[in-house]
Amino acid sequence: MKNDNMKNQYRINEQIRVREVRIVGEGGSTVPTRQALDMAHDQGVDLVEISPNANPPVCRLIDYSKFLYQQKKRQKEMKAKQVKVEVKEIRFGPQTDEHDYQFKLKHAKEFLEDGNKVRAYVFFRGRSILFKEQGEVLLLRFANDLEEYGKVEGMPSLEGKKMFLYLAPKKAGVAKKSQQARDREASIAEAKEAEKQQAEHAPSNGGLFANAKISADVLKKLTESEDE
């Protein structure tokens, strides 16, 4: 059924009834449709209309079966590249101990680093609903400890016997930090290369002065990059 839909998506050969078309791969030339059909026939391929809304419509000279295969392959590749975001759950009790908290915090960091969202909640069983303030404090601490990895999508909210907190991955912050590290490494590498070249060409009596100057430049670059 899907293949039929794709086949009906494009007009080919005599189905193309406009007066002229523009041929892709032939210098973008505009020719009468009859001439384009003759060109396709001479090459043993089809005239496929790929952009009907253009003026004039854009066509390709290609085997139609091969064209459909390329289209399906492209769609499959695009679908594979789409990032599927999952929502991972982290459950707490209102009086979760420190060891259990740290264990779940570690998993939440991994989830966020993988690009998934995190839904953390505190489950109040029976009379433990009396400790809802403790649950709120726990979730706020959780959000604070994950500040580097995720951003809060809403303050803790009580829904029935559960208090929820939602976190989304914070990729931009991690990337920025990595970029700063790369900048520092580039500065160090650049300074070392300059030091090497200076040592090779400088007079022997000027070596100490040259090394001192380069070391100062390295320190200045590192300080500037850290201040940023």
Side-chain angles (χ1 to χ4, degrees):
M1 189 69 178
K2 290 182 179 179
N3 292 339
D4 291 338
N5 289 338
M6 182 168 286
K7 283 183 179 180
N8 295 329
Q9 185 177 347
Y10 302 95
R11 288 185 295 188
I12 64 170
N13 300 327
E14 280 72 17
Q15 295 175 354
I16 304 171
R17 302 183 183 279
V18 294
R19 294 180 60 183
E20 58 183 14
V21 295
R22 184 157 59 90
I23 307 297
V24 175
E26 298 291 331
S29 58
T30 299
V31 299
T33 304
R34 186 70 261 169
Q35 182 180 338
L37 288 169
D38 291 340
M39 292 168 61
H41 182 268
D42 292 342
Q43 296 180 28
V45 294
D46 299 295
L47 181 67
V48 182
E49 186 183 58
I50 59 175
S51 183
N53 296 324
N55 187 21
V58 179
C59 296
R60 285 183 65 184
L61 298 175
I62 188 173
D63 181 89
Y64 191 44
S65 299
K66 182 179 179 181
F67 174 76
L68 290 178
Y69 172 77
Q70 291 175 345
Q71 293 298 104
K72 285 187 284 186
K73 184 178 179 182
R74 187 176 293 111
Q75 288 180 3
K76 187 176 181 180
E77 289 174 350
M78 290 177 62
K79 187 176 181 180
K81 289 180 180 179
Q82 291 178 348
V83 179
K84 184 178 180 181
V85 178
E86 296 183 11
V87 179
K88 303 290 187 177
E89 284 195 345
I90 301 288
R91 172 177 170 169
F92 293 103
Q95 296 176 313
T96 299
D97 61 49
E98 185 63 21
H99 180 269
D100 190 33
Y101 175 84
Q102 293 298 332
F103 178 77
K104 292 177 178 179
L105 180 66
K106 178 184 176 182
H107 279 289
K109 289 178 180 178
E110 293 173 353
F111 293 149
L112 292 168
E113 286 181 327
D114 289 341
N116 298 307
K117 291 187 176 184
V118 170
R119 177 170 62 186
Y121 68 93
V122 179
F123 180 69
F124 300 99
R125 189 188 303 274
R127 296 184 62 186
S128 66
I129 192 68
L130 299 173
F131 299 100
K132 62 181 180 180
E133 289 80 9
Q134 275 183 253
E136 184 176 7
V137 170
L138 176 65
L139 291 176
L140 290 175
R141 177 193 172 188
F142 191 64
N144 185 66
D145 289 343
L146 292 169
E147 184 179 8
E148 185 180 346
Y149 304 89
K151 54 185 178 181
V152 178
E153 292 191 327
M155 296 301 288
S157 60
L158 186 64
E159 300 177 19
K161 295 183 177 181
K162 297 179 180 178
M163 182 175 287
F164 290 96
L165 174 74
Y166 294 88
L167 295 164
K170 194 176 181 180
K171 291 289 186 182
V174 176
K176 184 176 180 181
K177 182 178 179 181
S178 299
Q179 183 62 49
Q180 290 173 346
R182 287 196 295 268
D183 290 342
R184 286 196 293 271
E185 291 174 359
S187 297
I188 294 172
E190 181 183 344
K192 285 183 177 180
E193 182 62 26
E195 182 179 354
K196 180 180 178 181
Q197 294 180 4
Q198 186 74 19
E200 291 176 352
H201 297 93
S204 58
N205 60 358
L208 290 176
F209 175 76
N211 289 340
K213 183 177 183 303
I214 292 171
S215 297
D217 290 340
V218 175
L219 180 61
K220 181 180 178 182
K221 287 181 179 181
L222 288 175
T223 304
E224 289 175 350
S225 63
E226 289 175 355
D227 289 341
E228 292 174 357

